[in-house]
Amino acid sequence: MKEPVRAKKFGREFKEFMVRGNAIMLAVGVVIGGAFQGIVNSLVNDILMPLIGLFTAGADFSELSFTVSALRSAEDAYVTITYGTLITAIINFLIIGFVIFLLVKCINSADGAVKKACRRGKPVASPAPPSTKKCPFCISEIPIAATRCAHCTSQLPAEDSE
């Protein structure tokens, strides 16, 4: 008997997830991430890696490999391990991470500057003066200009004007 209830609850949760826009926002994030990946890959492969090649004398890490051979019955068996592609992937990962860090830092700085400029243009509102006071006899809230309490009808002492 519990299975249909769980299925209904699961269906209701899925419907709420879809209606709230989480799936749509996720899809938009994936599409924008794919487009951003193209930009970052171009930056890394077309600009940064050639510059790094100048400092490493044009070394291409992706060509680095070693061969492991094993002697089996009548024939030699060997496996080539291309660890250079791993080194290249790690370097690309570090460069991409650094570039994304710089982009996010620039975007946050620009956002902070915009917010700061917006705050400068806005006048700071001063708090409104109080419109009520407490009766010293019955502690009820009464209008600030009252000379007699509406609750206990006590004559209020005169306010000192400084």
Tab-separated table of all heavy atoms in Angstrom, residues 109-151:
chain	number	residue	atom	x	y	z
A	109	SER	N	34.445	42.578	-9.136
A	109	SER	CA	34.932	43.947	-8.933
A	109	SER	C	34.047	44.947	-9.656
A	109	SER	O	33.705	45.994	-9.106
A	109	SER	CB	36.363	44.081	-9.443
A	109	SER	OG	37.219	43.290	-8.673
A	110	ALA	N	33.678	44.605	-10.892
A	110	ALA	CA	32.799	45.499	-11.654
A	110	ALA	C	31.437	45.606	-10.987
A	110	ALA	O	30.869	46.695	-10.885
A	110	ALA	CB	32.653	44.996	-13.087
A	111	ASP	N	30.926	44.485	-10.500
A	111	ASP	CA	29.628	44.497	-9.818
A	111	ASP	C	29.702	45.329	-8.547
A	111	ASP	O	28.813	46.112	-8.249
A	111	ASP	CB	29.201	43.060	-9.497
A	111	ASP	CG	27.790	42.978	-8.949
A	111	ASP	OD1	26.911	43.689	-9.474
A	111	ASP	OD2	27.569	42.206	-7.990
A	112	GLY	N	30.796	45.194	-7.803
A	112	GLY	CA	30.977	45.990	-6.582
A	112	GLY	C	31.083	47.469	-6.896
A	112	GLY	O	30.538	48.312	-6.170
A	113	ALA	N	31.768	47.816	-7.989
A	113	ALA	CA	31.901	49.226	-8.368
A	113	ALA	C	30.555	49.808	-8.770
A	113	ALA	O	30.236	50.950	-8.427
A	113	ALA	CB	32.896	49.364	-9.517
A	114	VAL	N	29.760	49.018	-9.475
A	114	VAL	CA	28.423	49.483	-9.880
A	114	VAL	C	27.549	49.693	-8.646
A	114	VAL	O	26.866	50.714	-8.522
A	114	VAL	CB	27.770	48.479	-10.854
A	114	VAL	CG1	26.294	48.786	-11.053
A	114	VAL	CG2	28.493	48.496	-12.189
A	115	LYS	N	27.586	48.749	-7.710
A	115	LYS	CA	26.779	48.887	-6.488
A	115	LYS	C	27.229	50.094	-5.672
A	115	LYS	O	26.414	50.828	-5.129
A	115	LYS	CB	26.869	47.613	-5.649
A	115	LYS	CG	26.083	46.469	-6.231
A	115	LYS	CD	26.200	45.242	-5.373
A	115	LYS	CE	25.428	44.095	-5.993
A	115	LYS	NZ	25.588	42.852	-5.252
A	116	LYS	N	28.548	50.307	-5.611
A	116	LYS	CA	29.076	51.443	-4.860
A	116	LYS	C	28.643	52.758	-5.501
A	116	LYS	O	28.240	53.702	-4.821
A	116	LYS	CB	30.598	51.357	-4.807
A	116	LYS	CG	31.245	52.287	-3.836
A	116	LYS	CD	32.734	52.001	-3.753
A	116	LYS	CE	33.398	52.872	-2.724
A	116	LYS	NZ	34.846	52.612	-2.661
A	117	ALA	N	28.687	52.823	-6.838
A	117	ALA	CA	28.258	54.027	-7.545
A	117	ALA	C	26.767	54.269	-7.346
A	117	ALA	O	26.334	55.417	-7.200
A	117	ALA	CB	28.578	53.906	-9.031
A	118	CYS	N	25.996	53.212	-7.310
A	118	CYS	CA	24.554	53.363	-7.090
A	118	CYS	C	24.275	53.872	-5.682
A	118	CYS	O	23.369	54.673	-5.481
A	118	CYS	CB	23.836	52.031	-7.313
A	118	CYS	SG	23.754	51.553	-9.040
A	119	ARG	N	25.055	53.397	-4.709
A	119	ARG	CA	24.849	53.872	-3.330
A	119	ARG	C	25.212	55.341	-3.197
A	119	ARG	O	24.605	56.069	-2.429
A	119	ARG	CB	25.686	53.038	-2.366
A	119	ARG	CG	25.085	51.705	-2.027
A	119	ARG	CD	25.820	51.094	-0.855
A	119	ARG	NE	27.215	50.894	-1.177
A	119	ARG	CZ	27.791	49.717	-1.382
A	119	ARG	NH1	27.092	48.629	-1.286
A	119	ARG	NH2	29.064	49.618	-1.675
A	120	ARG	N	26.233	55.793	-3.942
A	120	ARG	CA	26.630	57.202	-3.866
A	120	ARG	C	25.523	58.113	-4.371
A	120	ARG	O	25.353	59.211	-3.872
A	120	ARG	CB	27.884	57.435	-4.701
A	120	ARG	CG	29.127	57.188	-3.937
A	120	ARG	CD	30.323	57.726	-4.683
A	120	ARG	NE	31.355	56.718	-4.607
A	120	ARG	CZ	32.072	56.288	-5.610
A	120	ARG	NH1	31.897	56.780	-6.805
A	120	ARG	NH2	32.972	55.367	-5.444
A	121	GLY	N	24.792	57.696	-5.376
A	121	GLY	CA	23.757	58.535	-5.975
A	121	GLY	C	22.495	58.620	-5.130
A	121	GLY	O	21.698	59.527	-5.294
A	122	LYS	N	22.306	57.664	-4.210
A	122	LYS	CA	21.081	57.642	-3.404
A	122	LYS	C	21.272	58.447	-2.133
A	122	LYS	O	22.262	58.273	-1.425
A	122	LYS	CB	20.746	56.211	-2.993
A	122	LYS	CG	20.011	55.428	-4.003
A	122	LYS	CD	19.614	54.114	-3.373
A	122	LYS	CE	19.137	53.147	-4.428
A	122	LYS	NZ	18.948	51.822	-3.896
A	123	PRO	N	20.319	59.317	-1.820
A	123	PRO	CA	20.403	59.989	-0.519
A	123	PRO	C	20.053	58.998	0.589
A	123	PRO	O	19.200	58.143	0.413
A	123	PRO	CB	19.353	61.099	-0.619
A	123	PRO	CG	18.402	60.622	-1.657
A	123	PRO	CD	19.191	59.772	-2.607
A	124	VAL	N	20.750	59.110	1.699
A	124	VAL	CA	20.484	58.236	2.830
A	124	VAL	C	19.308	58.809	3.607
A	124	VAL	O	19.329	59.964	4.027
A	124	VAL	CB	21.729	58.122	3.737
A	124	VAL	CG1	21.446	57.244	4.934
A	124	VAL	CG2	22.908	57.600	2.943
A	125	ALA	N	18.275	58.017	3.748
A	125	ALA	CA	17.069	58.469	4.443
A	125	ALA	C	17.319	58.483	5.947
A	125	ALA	O	17.828	57.527	6.513
A	125	ALA	CB	15.904	57.555	4.115
A	126	SER	N	16.961	59.586	6.581
A	126	SER	CA	17.087	59.654	8.032
A	126	SER	C	15.841	59.022	8.641
A	126	SER	O	14.765	59.052	8.058
A	126	SER	CB	17.244	61.100	8.493
A	126	SER	OG	16.113	61.854	8.100
A	127	PRO	N	15.982	58.440	9.809
A	127	PRO	CA	14.814	57.800	10.419
A	127	PRO	C	13.740	58.841	10.738
A	127	PRO	O	14.024	59.981	11.098
A	127	PRO	CB	15.367	57.155	11.692
A	127	PRO	CG	16.664	57.836	11.953
A	127	PRO	CD	17.173	58.333	10.640
A	128	ALA	N	12.487	58.426	10.583
A	128	ALA	CA	11.358	59.319	10.852
A	128	ALA	C	11.277	59.607	12.352
A	128	ALA	O	11.566	58.737	13.174
A	128	ALA	CB	10.064	58.676	10.385
A	129	PRO	N	10.909	60.820	12.725
A	129	PRO	CA	10.768	61.118	14.153
A	129	PRO	C	9.610	60.303	14.736
A	129	PRO	O	8.664	59.963	14.031
A	129	PRO	CB	10.462	62.615	14.185
A	129	PRO	CG	9.975	62.956	12.827
A	129	PRO	CD	10.591	61.967	11.898
A	130	PRO	N	9.682	59.986	16.026
A	130	PRO	CA	8.608	59.174	16.623
A	130	PRO	C	7.279	59.920	16.585
A	130	PRO	O	7.219	61.131	16.718
A	130	PRO	CB	9.080	58.947	18.057
A	130	PRO	CG	10.103	59.988	18.311
A	130	PRO	CD	10.694	60.353	16.988
A	131	SER	N	6.200	59.159	16.378
A	131	SER	CA	4.870	59.770	16.326
A	131	SER	C	4.066	59.469	17.587
A	131	SER	O	2.979	59.991	17.770
A	131	SER	CB	4.109	59.271	15.099
A	131	SER	OG	3.950	57.865	15.177
A	132	THR	N	4.616	58.606	18.459
A	132	THR	CA	3.911	58.284	19.705
A	132	THR	C	4.881	58.360	20.868
A	132	THR	O	6.096	58.375	20.691
A	132	THR	CB	3.299	56.870	19.650
A	132	THR	OG1	4.344	55.923	19.468
A	132	THR	CG2	2.262	56.739	18.553
A	133	LYS	N	4.291	58.404	22.074
A	133	LYS	CA	5.069	58.337	23.300
A	133	LYS	C	4.286	57.504	24.295
A	133	LYS	O	3.125	57.173	24.058
A	133	LYS	CB	5.339	59.746	23.849
A	133	LYS	CG	4.087	60.532	24.221
A	133	LYS	CD	4.449	61.914	24.708
A	133	LYS	CE	3.171	62.708	25.015
A	133	LYS	NZ	3.486	64.070	25.471
A	134	LYS	N	4.907	57.166	25.424
A	134	LYS	CA	4.227	56.367	26.445
A	134	LYS	C	3.744	57.279	27.565
A	134	LYS	O	4.438	58.196	27.974
A	134	LYS	CB	5.172	55.326	27.014
A	134	LYS	CG	5.506	54.229	26.020
A	134	LYS	CD	6.082	53.032	26.738
A	134	LYS	CE	6.430	51.963	25.751
A	134	LYS	NZ	5.476	50.937	25.648
A	135	CYS	N	2.547	56.997	28.015
A	135	CYS	CA	1.996	57.724	29.165
A	135	CYS	C	2.790	57.307	30.403
A	135	CYS	O	2.956	56.118	30.655
A	135	CYS	CB	0.520	57.374	29.346
A	135	CYS	SG	-0.178	58.019	30.888
A	136	PRO	N	3.305	58.262	31.195
A	136	PRO	CA	4.101	57.884	32.365
A	136	PRO	C	3.267	57.235	33.472
A	136	PRO	O	3.829	56.603	34.367
A	136	PRO	CB	4.705	59.209	32.843
A	136	PRO	CG	3.859	60.275	32.264
A	136	PRO	CD	3.253	59.711	31.023
A	137	PHE	N	1.937	57.321	33.382
A	137	PHE	CA	1.085	56.779	34.443
A	137	PHE	C	0.594	55.370	34.121
A	137	PHE	O	0.629	54.490	34.984
A	137	PHE	CB	-0.103	57.718	34.696
A	137	PHE	CG	0.333	59.098	35.093
A	137	PHE	CD1	0.263	60.138	34.180
A	137	PHE	CD2	0.830	59.368	36.360
A	137	PHE	CE1	0.671	61.412	34.518
A	137	PHE	CE2	1.246	60.636	36.716
A	137	PHE	CZ	1.176	61.670	35.794
A	138	CYS	N	0.101	55.167	32.884
A	138	CYS	CA	-0.448	53.847	32.551
A	138	CYS	C	0.380	53.101	31.491
A	138	CYS	O	0.023	52.001	31.101
A	138	CYS	CB	-1.898	53.977	32.085
A	138	CYS	SG	-2.072	54.768	30.479
A	139	ILE	N	1.424	53.700	31.013
A	139	ILE	CA	2.350	53.125	30.031
A	139	ILE	C	1.652	52.760	28.719
A	139	ILE	O	2.062	51.863	28.019
A	139	ILE	CB	3.095	51.897	30.620
A	139	ILE	CG1	3.580	52.144	32.031
A	139	ILE	CG2	4.276	51.496	29.748
A	139	ILE	CD1	4.595	53.263	32.151
A	140	SER	N	0.617	53.433	28.329
A	140	SER	CA	-0.067	53.217	27.059
A	140	SER	C	0.559	54.092	25.984
A	140	SER	O	1.112	55.149	26.277
A	140	SER	CB	-1.555	53.572	27.176
A	140	SER	OG	-2.172	52.763	28.131
A	141	GLU	N	0.437	53.684	24.736
A	141	GLU	CA	0.929	54.474	23.606
A	141	GLU	C	-0.066	55.589	23.325
A	141	GLU	O	-1.258	55.341	23.175
A	141	GLU	CB	1.058	53.595	22.349
A	141	GLU	CG	2.180	52.588	22.397
A	141	GLU	CD	3.539	53.191	22.095
A	141	GLU	OE1	3.617	54.141	21.295
A	141	GLU	OE2	4.521	52.697	22.659
A	142	ILE	N	0.430	56.818	23.243
A	142	ILE	CA	-0.434	57.971	22.952
A	142	ILE	C	0.266	58.852	21.921
A	142	ILE	O	1.485	58.770	21.763
A	142	ILE	CB	-0.744	58.778	24.234
A	142	ILE	CG1	0.562	59.174	24.947
A	142	ILE	CG2	-1.639	58.006	25.172
A	142	ILE	CD1	0.368	60.100	26.105
A	143	PRO	N	-0.456	59.677	21.196
A	143	PRO	CA	0.177	60.572	20.218
A	143	PRO	C	1.196	61.487	20.895
A	143	PRO	O	1.046	61.874	22.054
A	143	PRO	CB	-0.981	61.375	19.645
A	143	PRO	CG	-2.184	60.540	19.897
A	143	PRO	CD	-1.913	59.775	21.160
A	144	ILE	N	2.219	61.847	20.167
A	144	ILE	CA	3.322	62.637	20.715
A	144	ILE	C	2.866	64.021	21.179
A	144	ILE	O	3.407	64.583	22.136
A	144	ILE	CB	4.474	62.738	19.681
A	144	ILE	CG1	5.782	63.178	20.352
A	144	ILE	CG2	4.178	63.702	18.571
A	144	ILE	CD1	6.630	62.082	20.783
A	145	ALA	N	1.848	64.593	20.537
A	145	ALA	CA	1.387	65.943	20.887
A	145	ALA	C	0.332	65.944	21.986
A	145	ALA	O	-0.137	67.009	22.389
A	145	ALA	CB	0.831	66.631	19.639
A	146	ALA	N	-0.054	64.778	22.506
A	146	ALA	CA	-1.130	64.715	23.511
A	146	ALA	C	-0.693	65.374	24.825
A	146	ALA	O	0.451	65.273	25.240
A	146	ALA	CB	-1.511	63.265	23.768
A	147	THR	N	-1.662	66.072	25.470
A	147	THR	CA	-1.409	66.678	26.778
A	147	THR	C	-2.163	65.930	27.877
A	147	THR	O	-1.946	66.162	29.054
A	147	THR	CB	-1.857	68.152	26.787
A	147	THR	OG1	-3.213	68.219	26.417
A	147	THR	CG2	-0.992	68.974	25.849
A	148	ARG	N	-3.079	65.013	27.456
A	148	ARG	CA	-3.840	64.198	28.398
A	148	ARG	C	-3.904	62.785	27.818
A	148	ARG	O	-4.086	62.608	26.624
A	148	ARG	CB	-5.242	64.753	28.579
A	148	ARG	CG	-6.061	64.055	29.647
A	148	ARG	CD	-7.401	64.722	29.853
A	148	ARG	NE	-7.310	66.014	30.490
A	148	ARG	CZ	-7.335	66.213	31.806
A	148	ARG	NH1	-7.446	65.195	32.615
A	148	ARG	NH2	-7.261	67.422	32.300
A	149	CYS	N	-3.756	61.771	28.660
A	149	CYS	CA	-3.786	60.378	28.213
A	149	CYS	C	-5.219	59.987	27.886
A	149	CYS	O	-6.136	60.205	28.686
A	149	CYS	CB	-3.216	59.467	29.294
A	149	CYS	SG	-3.251	57.719	28.845
A	150	ALA	N	-5.411	59.377	26.722
A	150	ALA	CA	-6.740	58.940	26.297
A	150	ALA	C	-7.168	57.682	27.039
A	150	ALA	O	-8.359	57.372	27.101
A	150	ALA	CB	-6.748	58.674	24.799
A	151	HIS	N	-6.254	56.968	27.638
A	151	HIS	CA	-6.573	55.710	28.313
A	151	HIS	C	-6.895	55.914	29.798
A	151	HIS	O	-7.892	55.412	30.289
A	151	HIS	CB	-5.413	54.719	28.155
A	151	HIS	CG	-5.084	54.430	26.725
A	151	HIS	ND1	-5.837	53.597	25.948
A	151	HIS	CD2	-4.098	54.899	25.921
A	151	HIS	CE1	-5.316	53.535	24.732
A	151	HIS	NE2	-4.258	54.341	24.693
